Amino acid sequence: MPRHAVTLSRLAHAASGRLLAARHARSLARHEMRRRILTGALGVVVFLATTMGMAYSNLQGNIGRHDVDDLLGDDRPTRDDGQEPPDDPQQGEPLNILVMGSDVRTEDDPDYGETLGMRSDTTMIAHVSADRSRVEVVSIPRDTLVDIPSCQLPDGGETAEQYDAMFNSAFALGGQTGDVAYGAACTWKTVEALTGIPIDDFVVVDFAGFEAVVDALDGVPMYIPEPIDDQRADLSLEAGCQVLNGHEALGYARVRYGVSGDGSDISRISRQQQLVAAIAREALSVHLLTNVPALYRFLDASTKTLTTGDWVGQLPNMAGVATSLRGIEPDEIRFATMPFDWAGARVVPSSDAEAMWENMRADRPIDADITGTGEEPTTEEPTSEEPTSEEPTTQEPTTEEPSEETTPECTR
């Protein structure tokens, strides 16, 4: 065989080897690239899962949950259909949550009041309709004269029944050892005895932590109808549209002096309702559910202020209620104060109060003072979609005419 033929054969074999080596190298490179991409993607998934898990754990850990069922006794109102509160709050059953604002006073914080110790300055029943189309929030004045049932104490003892006692003393009686859950349970029993409304669970909001909730929203736009200068509440505001920060919002919720009114709890309730309505409007307007960082900041601040019952304090249940209410508009959130008559410097439930409680028990709309828009309702709600054989006494209908003086709409 000629020498040049052997040389060509060797050259061809070498070229083929180099081609195979190049293909193998490219294959290894592609494999390495896929491995890196898969490893990177897995790392991202693990990071997100860990971050979300930590966020969930942090938020759930913020909430102080207490099971108070054993503290409520057996003499409680029941639902007409006998059903328990829904495990899936998105469907089918009304929800009644007792909301209390806890204001703990110490010798270092005397300006907001004379009484030291733990007490509930604000108590509301938040009713969520079964079809999740409306939310009604009814304030019970703290100065209401009520009968307070005997309540259990952490040491196994019980408090004595109280007659014609101030309503907010129920929280102080049950919580006299400093245990918020026992204070909440005593208030819960008192509310059920007063209204006959079956309460599903409770939330206690720490007033001091309330500042962080407002600050997490970067403040709350609100119309201030008159200048306020109250050193006791550490509050000075000009009249007109303002964006209240957390400290100012807390002062506005507490303020009694330097404003129109008689300095009583009754005059303060309307300002608190206006403030809660403004917070609801702001939370709805900034689309929290689609802004993950803002949502986490808000939830982190909110959950740190809460002590709750066992059911409502579970984040999946909270999320279920929030999701089922995601389409609600501010005018479908309504605020009212328990109808009352004056009894000297105190108040007692009026004859119209029972009509309000009956409508709430039957999941019918109630007459409201303002809506989440900050305005009075402009239309009269129907009493019931399906007439029943037992109708409650009719409350005085709200006017269908808009108020002559409308509150300016404030924005940032």
Side-chain angles (χ1 to χ4, degrees), residues 97-329:
I97 304 298
L98 188 63
V99 181
M100 292 157 278
S102 175
D103 210 3
V104 179
R105 311 272 172 94
T106 68
E107 293 180 355
D108 297 327
D109 182 27
D111 292 339
Y112 291 127
E114 301 79 18
T115 305
L116 306 182
M118 185 174 65
R119 68 220 192 124
S120 175
D121 264 7
T122 302
T123 303
M124 304 174 177
I125 304 173
H127 175 82
V128 182
S129 65
D131 62 5
R132 303 305 189 251
S133 67
R134 66 184 196 279
V135 175
E136 291 154 346
V137 181
V138 178
S139 297
I140 301 176
R142 69 173 195 167
D143 294 340
T144 304
L145 296 177
V146 299
D147 295 339
I148 300 175
S150 175
C151 299
Q152 292 188 39
L153 296 173
D155 63 2
E158 293 186 352
T159 63
E161 292 184 38
Q162 306 284 319
Y163 302 96
D164 283 336
M166 278 183 56
F167 171 70
N168 76 328
S169 64
F171 193 88
L173 280 170
Q176 60 187 260
T177 63
D179 193 312
V180 174
Y182 281 79
C186 195
T187 303
W188 184 337
K189 290 183 68 174
T190 303
V191 168
E192 287 191 335
L194 173 68
T195 67
I197 295 171
I199 300 299
D200 296 309
D201 217 335
F202 77 89
V203 174
V204 177
V205 182
D206 176 10
F207 263 24
F210 177 76
E211 293 186 35
V213 174
V214 174
D215 286 336
L217 290 170
D218 294 325
V220 176
M222 191 166 178
Y223 178 72
I224 307 300
E226 60 179 328
I228 299 176
D229 187 11
D230 184 358
Q231 292 184 357
R232 300 189 188 195
D234 191 24
L235 184 66
S236 180
L237 294 173
E238 298 293 331
C241 286
Q242 307 280 349
V243 178
L244 304 186
N245 61 31
H247 182 74
E248 292 167 336
L250 177 58
Y252 191 74
R254 283 170 154 174
V255 69
R256 288 190 176 199
Y257 306 97
V259 292
S260 297
D262 54 11
S264 70
D265 179 58
I266 301 300
S267 63
R268 187 173 61 166
I269 284 177
S270 63
R271 291 190 291 274
Q272 292 177 344
Q273 291 176 344
Q274 290 280 2
L275 179 59
V276 173
I279 292 172
R281 288 197 301 275
E282 185 65 12
L284 291 171
S285 69
V286 298
H287 306 298
L288 278 179
L289 291 178
T290 58
N291 186 337
V292 175
L295 176 61
Y296 181 81
R297 286 196 303 272
F298 180 75
L299 290 176
D300 187 45
S302 300
T303 52
K304 284 178 180 176
T305 74
L306 300 182
T307 301
T308 74
D310 186 58
W311 181 84
V312 78
Q314 297 179 50
L315 284 180
N317 292 336
M318 281 189 181
V321 174
T323 301
S324 65
L325 293 172
R326 65 188 180 278
I328 200 166
E329 297 294 334

Side-chain angles (χ1 to χ4, degrees), residues 277-393:
I279 292 172
R281 288 197 301 275
E282 185 65 12
L284 291 171
S285 69
V286 298
H287 306 298
L288 278 179
L289 291 178
T290 58
N291 186 337
V292 175
L295 176 61
Y296 181 81
R297 286 196 303 272
F298 180 75
L299 290 176
D300 187 45
S302 300
T303 52
K304 284 178 180 176
T305 74
L306 300 182
T307 301
T308 74
D310 186 58
W311 181 84
V312 78
Q314 297 179 50
L315 284 180
N317 292 336
M318 281 189 181
V321 174
T323 301
S324 65
L325 293 172
R326 65 188 180 278
I328 200 166
E329 297 294 334
D331 62 355
E332 293 161 338
I333 304 172
R334 305 208 161 188
F335 298 86
T337 300
M338 178 198 77
F340 63 86
D341 292 324
W342 286 99
R346 310 300 182 202
V347 299
V348 294
S350 71
S351 58
D352 288 333
E354 178 52 35
M356 178 176 282
W357 306 144
E358 171 59 22
N359 282 330
M360 293 181 75
R361 290 193 294 263
D363 196 22
R364 287 189 289 263
I366 64 171
D367 290 340
D369 301 324
I370 64 169
T371 72
T373 64
E375 301 291 340
E376 295 180 10
T378 56
T379 57
E380 186 178 352
E381 293 287 357
T383 56
S384 175
E385 293 181 1
E386 296 181 5
T388 59
S389 56
E390 295 183 6
E391 291 294 331
T393 18

Side-chain angles (χ1 to χ4, degrees), residues 49-96:
T50 303
T51 302
M52 291 173 66
M54 289 176 64
Y56 178 92
S57 178
N58 288 341
L59 292 176
Q60 185 67 77
N62 287 343
I63 303 170
R65 286 167 49 212
H66 300 271
D67 186 348
V68 299
D69 284 352
D70 292 341
L71 307 181
L72 301 175
D74 299 324
D75 186 18
R76 298 187 55 206
T78 58
R79 298 186 184 281
D80 293 340
D81 57 12
Q83 294 189 32
E84 293 297 318
D87 291 332
D88 178 4
Q90 298 182 35
Q91 297 291 335
E93 285 292 321
L95 205 56
N96 297 309

